[in-house]
């Protein structure tokens, strides 16, 4: 999937920035999911329900990729 993402981004951004955006996407996604899992394990009330969280995360990541 990362190679496919790179192929979509590379024509507009060039190789270096396309790879960097892909790396940042993975880093941000991993951190967001890990933080949500930690909060759930600790019993912290979630600000967003699951569906809204997923929709929001997709929107944020899409925005970061298209910035």
């Amino acid at each position: 999937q990362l190679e496919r993402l790179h192929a979509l981004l590379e024509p507009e951004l060039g190789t270096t920035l396309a790879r960097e955006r892909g790396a940042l996407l993975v880093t941000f996604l991993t951190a967001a999911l890990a933080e949500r899992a930690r909060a759930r394990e600790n019993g912290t009330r979630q600000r967003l329900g699951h569906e809204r969280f997923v929709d929001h995360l997709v929107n944020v990541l899409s925005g970061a990729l298209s910035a």
Side-chain angles (χ1 to χ4, degrees), residues 28-48:
F28 185 76
L29 176 61
T30 302
L33 294 175
E35 177 56 32
R36 184 150 174 106
R38 267 192 299 274
R40 288 185 64 150
E41 279 183 3
N42 293 336
T44 303
R45 184 177 178 275
Q46 302 298 301
R47 290 183 295 257
L48 301 175

Side-chain angles (χ1 to χ4, degrees), residues 21 56-67:
R21 291 238 180 133
H56 178 64
L57 186 57
V58 167
N59 289 336
V60 168
L61 295 174
S62 296
L65 288 174
S66 63

